Amino acid sequence: MDDELVARIEARLASPRLTPMLRQYLGVKAEHPEAVVLFRMGDFFEAFFEDAEECARRLDITLTHRSKEKDVPMAGVPHHALDGHLARLIEQGKTVVLVDQVEDPKLAKGLVRREVTRVVTPGTFLDPAAPSRLPRYLGSLELSPRSKTDRWALAALDVGTGELRATFGQSAELLVDEVGRLSAKEVLWSDRAESDPLLETLEAEFPGVVFTRLDGRVHDPEASLATVERVLGAEERAAAEALLPKAALVAAGRALAYAADTQARDAPDRRGQPGLGHVGRIRPYVPGDALVLDREARAHLELFRTTTGEHRGCLLWAVDRTVTPMGARRLASWLSHPPRDRKVAHARHDAVEALVSAPGSLDRIRDGLGRVGDVERLLGRLMLGRALPRDLLQLAASLAEVPGLVAAVADAVGDELGAGSGRLAELAELDPCAELRDRLLDALDPDASNDLTTGRVFRPGFDAELDHCALLADDGASAVAALEARERKATGIGSLKVRSNRVFGYFIEVTKANLSLVPDRYLRKQTMVGAERFVTDELATLEEDLRSAEARRLERTEALFLAVLEAATKESSRMRRLAEGLSDLDALAGFARLAAEQDFCRPELSSGAEIAIEGGRHPVLEQMSGALEERFVPNDVHLSSDERLMIVTGPNMAGKSTIMRQTALIALLAYAGSFVPARSARIGRVDRIHTRVGASDDLSRGRSTFMVEMAETARILRSATEHDLVILDEIGRGTSTFDGLSIAWAVAEHLHDVVRARVMFATHYHEMTELARERPGAFNRHVAVREHRDRIVFLRTLEPGGTQRSYGVQVARLAGLPPPVVARAKSLLDRLERQGRGLASPVGQLPLFEVAPEPDPVLTAVADRLSAVDVDELTPRQALDLVAELKSLLP
Ligand code: ADP
Ligand code: MG
């Protein structure tokens, strides 16, 4: 904490010249010195002093000052634009404290009372504009340095949807994987864990994550367990305790307490812990229960974003056919935690199959879901006290879709002739929460305004008192005219008028000539020259009504809205179950749609070691229109414990990386419950997928390419087992040929002999194909090309045996190397091959150029330059640069 800042705040607070408003502000600031404090004043949220300067800088807004305190810097944002500005501050890693007026400024005596209404932090901010198709987790970590079994526990709470999961483990690597998998923006820890090396590891690994330290005395284990019980109830607590170590519950409790504290201060109270009624339970999970993909594998396989950070082109992009944000989040969670338990995947395959074979029902389901809102988040807003009238309307409209959905699902199940899928049969019983739906539709105006103060929220006819107030408020003149007409009729005085002025308010005016007709109930108020003015009880009441109608309408609207909110809140657990069902239904229907549209097949899962894919395709590449100039060519891949190490060779650009990644993705999709892009697929047990692809730079972590490559390879060798699938793509590139080949060879041997994992190993070292002769489980495949008049044609088929040629010269030609250079390179290559260089002999050591006839200096220079080039390593761009360089050598 910044002591200097705290001292400055205290010094300001001590100043006798401080205005009461600034004293109020600094009081809050003293409690939250590290946050930006925004103070509601009229229509603005204002920051002062350092915070004003910070806001001006970070938000690009003008720095001004108060008229009363010229030396106090001030900067503000209009309250209606608050969310956007909050998002920018949060994105920059700041926490923001919102101080709002908690009494009506018009009624306040002296200074308006203000309170901290929300603390907005990176992990809890519910940005209405943020993409809702991915969960947004707040992480919470509990470390137990002395524990032998659960060294760490991690809880993750999505405050917007109420999803709460918790897990635990022993190794630092798993923890790093899990934190990476959550992509949490903020992770809580208790300062009891101060100077724990595990925490330091995390902070180093995730520079973009805010690690928020909580006071361990406030958030002590007992208090956190009590929070769990308050929010979830004793039953849920006991259920979670049966499956999780205490530390995991403590982490969960801390996340709940923090969320309630920061987000739910003005939410409806539930069991003494406000605002988290949408959190129903703790979902325990064991990292080992899911097919594990570590951070490298997730990045290399481009599961949730491409290596360049885009959504288009990642696996999620390619397989997402969901129509609701709930379904999209469910799909993301299935893909990031594919259960190892084959029964789960199997049940999903059953449901997908049933839906695929009932295309009419599938269409109806997806149509219906398209009209359903984000029930999960709507419920979250409701329970956090943020729901507005239109949220409730959307909720009601969503509920109204449920019966149609249920009928469509029942049809799909029925089409299965009784053998229907278990999960689908459950989904055919979704609870439409009909009473709540009717109540909401009955109460709310179909065009309800979100503004309780001026707009119309409830249907006319829903509440007589509200209608009365509204009539008066909207149409005081006609109420007066009606009274006037009634009085004319009653008295028979045609010229009788109801009028008003500021001094006497409303009165009835009768001309002198008609005074004899005035009834007794008229009370004389004022005598004019040609007329008398009267009041009646009724007129006095009307006047009072008119004066108070606006206020009463607001009051009544608020009371009615609160009652509706309360009724909805009471149904939270039913709606939560409904939201869960809708999420599953959407994710399953999405899989079905994908399977039908892309011609995926149902994979067969087994406990064996075999991976047998026929006609497999890459799920992303085959959909990247424009990226492929040719049709995607399907391939077969077969791995088993007897044939476990596949050495994949073939020229650059042939398709080695593609076929390896597609194999991993097919296995992953199968376990996530999806059908797969293949003609048929049998996928045996896969506990974990490891990948090490290419030589990617990791300068952000300050390690050299080769170091990273070796560190990751080491990690794979250490942690892989025979139940894993290992994808190695050209490891050993980052160093010299001899080193690289030796390392690649030794790694392959180790994987074959010791680890016994199923391995696909692409390499540009043709020498590696020799392994197949030495090791029984090793075999060769190459991606075929055809030579056609010195050019190569990529066939994209995976075929038995290795290649002895790299076709580097042909690829260089494709890349645009000038014909004379290609011709010269080819003749040098021919000579090398004729001289029969040994398998492992380094290129370039033969006295090539001495034996060239009449050494021409230009040609020698070109040849020297070329011989220094490893064509396999060239990117097209480098090839072009090389051409330019070579051209500059010509006379
Ligand atoms: P390598 O790893 O052998 O250098 P890649 O796997 O990166 O080759 O593939 C290079 C390009 O070839 C891919 O980007 C893709 O455009 C195309 N490609 C690969 N496999 C296929 C295939 N089976 N069918 C069609 N195009 C393919
Ligand atoms: Mg490659």
Side-chain angles (χ1 to χ4, degrees):
M1 192 167 299
D2 190 345
D3 294 336
E4 215 179 287
L5 177 62
V6 176
R8 241 187 348 254
I9 295 168
E10 274 163 14
R12 278 186 201 128
L13 268 170
S15 155
R17 291 185 313 137
L18 205 61
T19 60
M21 194 280 300
L22 277 183
R23 186 172 302 282
Q24 209 181 26
Y25 177 83
L26 287 169
V28 176
K29 183 69 188 169
E31 280 176 40
H32 302 273
E34 277 157 313
V36 170
V37 174
L38 291 180
F39 213 60
R40 178 71 178 261
M41 299 178 71
D43 283 341
F44 278 76
F45 277 98
E46 304 280 4
F48 300 97
F49 301 109
E50 297 76 5
D51 284 0
E53 281 154 18
E54 186 157 10
C55 286
R57 187 159 31 86
R58 291 183 186 270
L59 300 174
D60 239 340
I61 54 179
T62 342
L63 195 62
T64 57
H65 48 73
R66 295 258 292 157
S67 50
K68 283 187 218 153
E69 299 102 356
K70 290 251 187 303
D71 51 343
V72 176
M74 174 173 98
V77 298
H79 79 100
H80 60 80
L82 179 65
D83 280 329
H85 291 294
L86 283 179
R88 286 177 70 183
L89 287 171
I90 296 294
E91 219 34 68
Q92 300 176 51
K94 295 301 294 184
T95 285
V96 184
V97 172
L98 292 180
V99 183
D100 211 340
Q101 296 163 339
V102 291
E103 62 182 343
D104 189 338
K106 275 183 262 159
L107 305 175
K109 294 186 199 73
L111 193 60
V112 185
R113 214 153 50 77
R114 292 186 176 85
E115 273 173 19
V116 174
T117 52
R118 239 186 331 149
V119 179
V120 187
T121 77
T124 57
F125 179 44
L126 305 171
D127 182 359
S132 54
R133 297 180 71 84
L134 286 175
R136 186 182 180 104
Y137 291 118
L138 164 71
S140 171
L141 185 66
E142 173 73 351
L143 299 173
S144 325
R146 277 184 299 278
S147 168
K148 289 275 176 295
T149 51
D150 19 270
R151 171 77 178 81
W152 54 264
L154 182 69
L157 172 66
D158 183 337
V159 182
T161 65
E163 181 191 356
L164 173 61
R165 32 174 68 238
T167 188
F168 58 96
Q170 194 63 19
S171 83
E173 274 168 13
L174 261 190
L175 176 60
V176 169
D177 282 351
E178 278 309 309
V179 171
R181 207 196 284 237
L182 292 176
S183 25
K185 297 259 185 291
E186 180 178 14
V187 175
L188 311 173
W189 59 283
S190 143
D191 57 8
R192 293 159 166 247
E194 194 111 51
S195 78
D196 188 315
L198 219 46
L199 187 66
E200 283 161 25
T201 307
L202 284 182
E203 284 177 328
E205 288 281 338
F206 299 101
V209 174
V210 176
F211 287 86
T212 304
R213 153 204 178 127
L214 298 181
D215 186 339
R217 279 162 310 176
V218 179
H219 296 269
D220 72 3
E222 284 317 311
S224 302
L225 292 176
T227 306
V228 169
E229 183 157 337
R230 265 203 314 277
V231 176
L232 305 177
E235 232 170 85
E236 271 303 326
R237 172 182 167 170
E241 261 167 350
L243 296 164
L244 290 164
K246 182 173 152 194
L249 267 79
V250 168
R254 228 177 253 143
L256 290 171
Y258 185 74
D261 230 32
T262 53
Q263 291 300 297
R265 288 172 184 244
D266 43 4
D269 200 352
R270 178 170 176 263
R271 299 210 198 103
Q273 188 70 40
L276 296 171
H278 57 311
V279 183
R281 61 188 172 111
I282 302 181
R283 219 181 288 220
Y285 73 100
V286 183
D289 284 353
L291 195 166
V292 179
L293 290 137
D294 56 34
R295 196 145 54 120
E296 275 74 30
R298 281 195 305 273
H300 292 152
L301 294 174
E302 306 191 306
L303 297 191
F304 299 112
R305 63 191 72 88
T306 65
T307 33
T308 51
E310 283 151 86
H311 178 62
R312 188 188 142 81
C314 75
L315 179 71
L316 183 62
W317 168 82
V319 301
D320 186 354
R321 297 293 184 279
T322 60
V323 287
T324 71
M326 297 180 277
R329 291 192 297 268
R330 181 57 46 96
L331 169 65
S333 140
W334 285 356
L335 289 178
S336 68
H337 291 87
R340 251 185 225 177
D341 182 353
R342 281 179 295 279
K343 282 204 289 298
V344 178
H346 198 83
R348 291 180 195 161
H349 293 154
D350 279 346
V352 174
E353 187 170 314
L355 291 169
V356 168
S357 54
S361 306
L362 179 58
D363 283 347
R364 273 159 64 210
I365 291 170
R366 297 182 77 245
D367 280 353
L369 285 169
R371 291 185 295 269
V372 166
D374 192 339
V375 177
E376 228 171 4
R377 290 230 164 144
L378 288 170
L379 181 59
R381 293 174 64 81
L382 177 68
M383 302 314 282
L384 288 164
R386 307 262 170 78
L388 296 171
R390 290 214 202 108
D391 293 327
L392 294 186
L393 267 184
Q394 217 192 338
L395 185 62
S398 304
L399 296 180
E401 290 298 329
V402 176
L405 282 171
V406 164
V409 175
D411 282 353
V413 175
D415 281 2
E416 276 272 276
L417 295 174
S421 124
R423 183 58 182 142
L424 267 197
E426 276 169 34
L427 292 175
E429 313 266 290
L430 280 183
D431 170 7
C433 306
E435 309 78 24
L436 178 61
R437 174 199 63 209
D438 292 346
R439 173 151 190 181
L440 292 176
L441 290 177
D442 183 46
L444 295 166
D445 191 282
D447 297 314
S449 155
N450 271 343
D451 185 355
L452 296 186
T453 54
T454 56
R456 187 215 296 265
V457 172
F458 294 98
R459 265 179 200 282
F462 169 64
D463 181 73
E465 187 183 335
L466 179 63
D467 287 348
H468 178 64
C469 299
L471 186 67
L472 286 181
D474 290 343
D475 207 7
S478 59
V480 170
L483 185 135
E484 188 180 71
R486 276 198 308 279
E487 290 300 333
R488 279 184 187 170
K489 202 162 168 215
T491 57
I493 306 173
S495 63
L496 177 150
K497 281 196 181 69
V498 177
R499 302 176 59 190
S500 71
N501 67 28
R502 211 167 307 143
V503 182
F504 294 102
Y506 281 91
F507 46 81
I508 298 170
E509 198 169 274
V510 179
T511 53
K512 285 256 159 72
N514 289 315
L515 281 180
S516 60
L517 295 171
V518 168
D520 289 347
R521 58 190 171 87
Y522 277 36
L523 296 174
R524 191 181 312 271
K525 213 171 175 185
Q526 192 188 12
T527 304
M528 310 292 292
V529 181
E532 301 258 315
R533 290 174 174 177
F534 303 88
V535 287
T536 62
D537 286 348
E538 195 190 354
L539 183 60
T541 313
L542 176 64
E543 177 173 1
E544 182 49 37
D545 282 354
L546 287 179
R547 199 177 297 137
S548 63
E550 201 57 62
R552 270 172 43 223
R553 170 161 83 166
L554 176 58
E555 207 175 292
R556 186 69 187 160
T557 302
E558 282 177 343
L560 289 172
F561 191 61
L562 209 64
V564 171
L565 283 178
E566 232 158 65
T569 308
K570 283 215 189 75
E571 302 290 357
S572 66
S573 33
R574 281 171 77 185
M575 282 191 283
R576 199 174 52 243
R577 276 194 303 277
L578 173 66
E580 296 238 327
L582 291 172
S583 309
D584 278 358
L585 181 61
D586 193 15
L588 291 169
F591 274 162
R593 177 63 211 250
L594 173 74
E597 174 196 296
Q598 296 295 126
D599 197 18
F600 281 15
C601 76
R602 177 175 180 155
E604 198 183 303
L605 300 179
S606 79
S607 58
E610 193 187 33
I611 293 179
I613 298 168
E614 274 177 47
R617 284 122 50 203
H618 191 294
V620 182
L621 264 190
E622 71 167 347
Q623 286 182 53
M624 291 287 279
S625 59
L628 272 191
E629 287 161 18
E630 43 199 312
R631 268 183 67 81
F632 195 90
V633 178
N635 268 306
D636 301 347
V637 168
H638 192 270
L639 293 162
S640 65
S641 46
D642 296 335
E643 288 198 298
R644 58 179 178 275
L645 172 59
M646 182 195 288
I647 303 288
V648 186
T649 47
N652 259 341
M653 290 302 286
K656 302 182 294 297
S657 302
T658 304
I659 190 143
M660 296 197 302
R661 287 182 208 212
Q662 104 191 10
T663 306
L665 292 177
I666 286 174
L668 170 72
L669 283 174
Y671 274 90
S674 171
F675 281 18
V676 299
R679 207 165 52 246
S680 78
R682 269 201 316 283
I683 311 289
R685 175 167 173 187
V686 180
D687 285 0
R688 198 174 167 133
I689 297 175
H690 305 265
T691 67
R692 170 59 230 178
V693 177
S696 65
D697 273 293
D698 195 355
L699 297 175
S700 63
R701 280 192 282 175
R703 286 189 270 170
S704 84
T705 303
F706 184 62
M707 262 302 280
V708 173
E709 189 175 319
M710 286 302 112
E712 285 180 17
T713 307
R715 201 172 45 76
I716 293 174
L717 294 187
R718 256 200 330 271
S719 62
T721 76
E722 61 173 319
H723 303 302
D724 296 354
L725 174 63
V726 180
I727 304 286
L728 295 175
D729 198 346
E730 318 235 13
I731 67 157
R733 287 195 110 161
T735 184
S736 75
T737 311
F738 273 165
D739 277 0
L741 173 56
S742 317
I743 291 169
W745 186 285
V747 166
E749 266 182 4
H750 184 83
L751 285 169
H752 177 278
D753 300 351
V754 181
V755 178
R756 305 176 66 84
R758 285 146 300 171
V759 183
M760 294 178 84
F761 196 142
T763 179
H764 61 289
Y765 299 124
H766 305 142
E767 295 81 352
M768 295 268 300
T769 55
E770 289 296 302
L771 252 176
R773 262 190 259 200
E774 294 187 17
R775 290 294 192 277
F779 62 107
N780 291 317
R781 288 286 180 275
H782 69 280
V783 187
V785 295
R786 200 175 54 216
E787 243 184 312
H788 178 66
R789 300 229 219 118
D790 261 13
R791 291 171 186 268
I792 49 168
V793 180
F794 293 116
L795 300 180
R796 312 283 182 213
T797 51
L798 190 67
E799 293 179 3
T803 31
Q804 295 304 325
R805 300 194 52 191
S806 62
Y807 298 93
V809 175
Q810 285 85 344
V811 175
R813 183 211 303 271
L814 273 184
L817 224 56
V821 179
V822 173
R824 171 64 178 153
K826 187 153 180 357
S827 82
L828 290 175
L829 180 67
D830 286 348
R831 186 176 314 153
L832 266 176
E833 283 175 344
R834 268 203 311 279
Q835 284 167 355
R837 81 185 147 101
L839 271 179
S841 78
V843 181
Q845 283 193 347
L846 295 169
L848 274 179
F849 302 112
E850 279 89 306
V851 298
E854 305 170 41
D856 170 306
V858 174
L859 207 52
T860 311
V862 171
D864 281 351
R865 182 66 190 87
L866 266 183
S867 67
V869 171
D870 179 353
V871 178
D872 279 350
E873 293 275 12
L874 280 188
T875 64
R877 171 76 219 202
Q878 286 166 337
L880 281 178
D881 290 344
L882 181 61
V883 173
E885 190 190 330
L886 291 175
K887 179 136 195 200
S888 75
L889 294 175
L890 298 179

